[in-house]
């Protein structure tokens, strides 16, 4: 099992466990998100993770 290190050079690329993040969404937005994931046969977690990864990449290209 990988452990996190304070040295950025030795940190694993993926964490074994992520802390929970809770976000309150308006009812209409949550419903639209549920429909979106159902149509794509995926999960809310996968959609959110993908969006976050894209933003991180975009931030790197705009620096």
């Amino acid at each position: 099992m990988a452990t996190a290190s304070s040295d950025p050079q030795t940190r694993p690329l993926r964490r074994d466990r992520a802390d929970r993040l809770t976000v309150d969404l308006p009812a209409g937005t949550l419903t639209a998100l549920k429909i979106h994931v159902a149509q794509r046969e995926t999960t809310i977690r996968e959609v959110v993770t993908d969006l976050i990864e894209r933003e991180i990449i975009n931030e790197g290209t705009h620096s």
Side-chain angles (χ1 to χ4, degrees):
M1 176 157 130
T3 57
S5 170
S6 60
D7 181 2
Q9 297 291 334
T10 61
R11 285 189 193 154
L13 294 177
R14 292 185 67 103
R15 294 182 182 200
D16 289 340
R17 178 180 79 68
D19 292 328
R20 262 188 148 37
L21 173 66
T22 302
V23 179
D24 292 323
L25 297 174
T29 303
L30 181 57
T31 300
L33 181 57
K34 287 180 179 182
I35 292 168
H36 178 83
V37 300
Q39 290 172 336
R40 285 154 183 80
E41 297 180 357
T42 188
T43 65
I44 291 174
R45 179 182 301 234
E46 289 178 85
V47 169
V48 171
T49 300
D50 185 50
L51 291 170
I52 291 170
E53 287 174 349
R54 286 186 200 175
E55 280 303 309
I56 290 170
I57 290 168
N58 287 338
E59 283 295 315
T61 60
H62 291 101
S63 295

